[in-house]
Amino acid sequence: MSDTKPTLLAGPVRPALLAFAGPMILTMVATQLYTVVDTMIIGLCLDANALAAVSNASTALLVFLFVSGGMELGGGLLLAAKRPTATPRELSAVIYNLLFIDVVLGLIMTAGAFLGIEGLLRLIHTPAEIIPQAVTYSRFYLVGLPFLMVYDLSKQLIMGCGDSKTPLFAVLGTSVLNILLDLALVGPFGVAGAAAATSFSQVVGFVFILWYLHRTLLTEPFRFSMLDRRYALETFRLSAPNALQQASAPVGSMIKQGLLGSIGVAAIAGFSCASKISTLLLMPVAGSAQALVFFIAQNIAAGQPDRVRDGVRQARGMMLIYGLTMSAGCILLARPLMQLFTADAGAIAYGALLLSRQSIVYTFTGMRHIQEAGLRGRQQMGLYLVSNLGSTAADLLACVALVPLLGYSGFYFASFFSAPFGFLLATLCLWIGSRRAAV
């Protein structure tokens, strides 16, 4: 991995960002792609009820994944900030502490999810006819949750040290495995087969990534004496804001699913498919932002503020071009894209309407992520939280206000307000952070 470190800290900025961000973007795309393929196989091999059941189950499961997401982002940032100056022994100690915390949290979250999943499904107004399928999917999926949490955290730790290629290879392998198992299991076993395929793939990824860590970053054997309260406090400081941000996603999804429940199963299925496509198309945005976070963290630790400013400027330009391109593509191809997921005419109509309209504001969403990456890379987590939660709250409030008045169209009208607002709020927070850093 030593050959990747100078790439982040020296040389032309744009090639450095592209070389590091490219595999990271592909990793996130591949991760999302197999969830998209899950949805496609379920929608085409089963029916709209199964598609809606998996959609609602996935929403409920997100409630138990926000801690994992916070640990991933916080742990990766912590290691990226320590990498330029830490000794191999110190890096091993940090990684062992992060993994230990993650394992404990994973077991707690899995136990809570098994007990609470059916209640959550009812809370978000899941139609009664699809609850049994949603519960079945959830419980098979939860078998792999502790393995998924360690797998995802380990990928972020490797990325935080400057290696974005190895996580890509891991994700490509597990994604292909997941798709092959989907094709084999969904037909005979329904939604349980889809969840089992995902769980088994997560276990395989867990085994590989831990083996790789032991061959590279973990130069010291584990000892309980390595567990240090200081690392736990640092982890909490960086992970808690990210976990709160991650928690806002399932809360928002639950509120939207509740609003969808009164519109019908076709609306739920169409909304789910459109959301999967939108999330997939925004993965390059998330990947670029995360790469920028690590780039900023390492260059700040190395005392190179001019390189940081140049990196942010380059990222903004690339994001503007990508956002405009994706908006045009979705407006033109919304219906053909939906037809890849389902043959149900109602679901296609609902999904194409949402995708073609929400994509109009992709550029604002992408630019907000770049601004927030600047806050995270500088470890200004309070301002980052204000920006992210403020944007999410604006979107939910707009949905709650507009959907009862406009019906399904209220979802995309809400994004016309919340996306520009989120970008402006992130820009304001970044300006405040810059002023604080200059004092």
Side-chain angles (χ1 to χ4, degrees), residues 102-185:
D102 204 46
V103 167
V104 173
L105 291 174
L107 294 174
I108 293 172
M109 299 300 288
T110 301
F114 262 102
L115 295 174
I117 193 67
E118 185 169 351
L120 269 177
L121 288 166
R122 297 185 186 281
L123 184 65
I124 61 175
H125 305 293
T126 302
E129 65 268 27
I130 64 173
I131 283 182
Q133 288 189 88
V135 171
T136 298
Y137 179 89
S138 299
R139 288 182 173 158
F140 273 89
Y141 182 93
L142 287 169
V143 172
L145 180 58
F147 302 96
L148 171 66
M149 289 180 65
V150 174
Y151 174 49
D152 284 345
L153 171 63
S154 299
K155 288 186 299 180
Q156 286 294 324
L157 297 180
I158 294 169
M159 290 178 186
C161 286
D163 178 3
S164 57
K165 293 180 181 178
T166 299
L168 170 61
F169 298 145
V171 168
L172 288 175
T174 54
S175 296
V176 170
L177 176 61
N178 190 85
I179 292 168
L180 292 175
L181 290 173
D182 271 340
L183 293 171
L185 299 178

Side-chain angles (χ1 to χ4, degrees), residues 8-329:
L8 292 176
L9 298 173
V13 169
R14 180 178 293 182
L17 271 176
L18 289 174
F20 183 56
M24 190 174 291
I25 290 169
L26 290 175
T27 298
M28 292 188 172
V29 169
T31 301
Q32 182 62 25
L33 186 59
Y34 79 71
T35 69
V36 170
V37 174
D38 271 346
T39 306
M40 291 172 64
I41 293 172
I42 291 167
L44 296 173
C45 294
L46 302 176
D47 55 24
N49 276 14
L51 197 58
V54 171
S55 172
N56 276 32
S58 298
T59 298
L61 287 167
L62 282 175
V63 174
F64 302 101
L65 289 171
F66 72 92
V67 172
S68 175
M71 280 293 297
E72 288 173 45
L73 297 173
L77 176 55
L78 178 61
L79 213 60
K82 289 187 176 296
R83 170 74 181 194
T85 57
T87 65
R89 179 182 176 83
E90 289 170 337
L91 280 180
S92 294
V94 173
I95 293 170
Y96 280 129
N97 276 267
L98 289 168
L99 292 176
F100 179 81
I101 295 168
D102 204 46
V103 167
V104 173
L105 291 174
L107 294 174
I108 293 172
M109 299 300 288
T110 301
F114 262 102
L115 295 174
I117 193 67
E118 185 169 351
L120 269 177
L121 288 166
R122 297 185 186 281
L123 184 65
I124 61 175
H125 305 293
T126 302
E129 65 268 27
I130 64 173
I131 283 182
Q133 288 189 88
V135 171
T136 298
Y137 179 89
S138 299
R139 288 182 173 158
F140 273 89
Y141 182 93
L142 287 169
V143 172
L145 180 58
F147 302 96
L148 171 66
M149 289 180 65
V150 174
Y151 174 49
D152 284 345
L153 171 63
S154 299
K155 288 186 299 180
Q156 286 294 324
L157 297 180
I158 294 169
M159 290 178 186
C161 286
D163 178 3
S164 57
K165 293 180 181 178
T166 299
L168 170 61
F169 298 145
V171 168
L172 288 175
T174 54
S175 296
V176 170
L177 176 61
N178 190 85
I179 292 168
L180 292 175
L181 290 173
D182 271 340
L183 293 171
L185 299 178
V186 168
F189 300 108
V191 297
T198 301
S199 292
F200 184 78
S201 301
Q202 289 163 359
V203 173
V204 172
F206 162 87
V207 171
F208 168 78
I209 212 74
L210 284 187
W211 170 81
Y212 184 80
L213 279 177
H214 276 285
R215 283 185 53 113
T216 54
L217 293 174
L218 293 173
T219 58
E220 299 281 330
F222 173 74
R223 297 182 299 276
F224 277 100
S225 60
M226 287 181 165
L227 300 179
D228 192 322
R229 183 182 172 203
R230 291 174 303 163
Y231 292 130
L233 292 175
E234 276 193 277
T235 301
F236 178 80
R237 179 178 67 85
L238 295 176
S239 297
N242 283 304
L244 287 174
Q245 178 269 323
Q246 294 284 306
S248 68
V251 170
S253 295
M254 288 175 66
I255 292 173
K256 290 180 181 180
Q257 290 286 358
L259 293 170
L260 279 166
S262 61
I263 302 176
V265 169
I268 295 174
F271 187 94
S272 172
C273 293
S275 298
K276 294 283 186 184
I277 296 171
S278 184
T279 301
L280 178 62
L281 293 176
L282 289 174
M283 281 297 103
V285 173
S288 298
Q290 189 65 3
L292 186 61
V293 169
F294 293 149
F295 179 88
I296 291 171
Q298 288 206 18
N299 280 280
I300 285 178
Q304 301 186 113
D306 290 341
R307 187 171 175 83
V308 170
R309 284 189 287 271
D310 193 13
V312 172
R313 184 168 58 251
Q314 297 284 353
R316 286 172 181 160
M318 291 185 285
M319 191 55 60
L320 179 62
I321 294 171
Y322 180 80
L324 293 174
T325 302
M326 288 302 100
S327 295

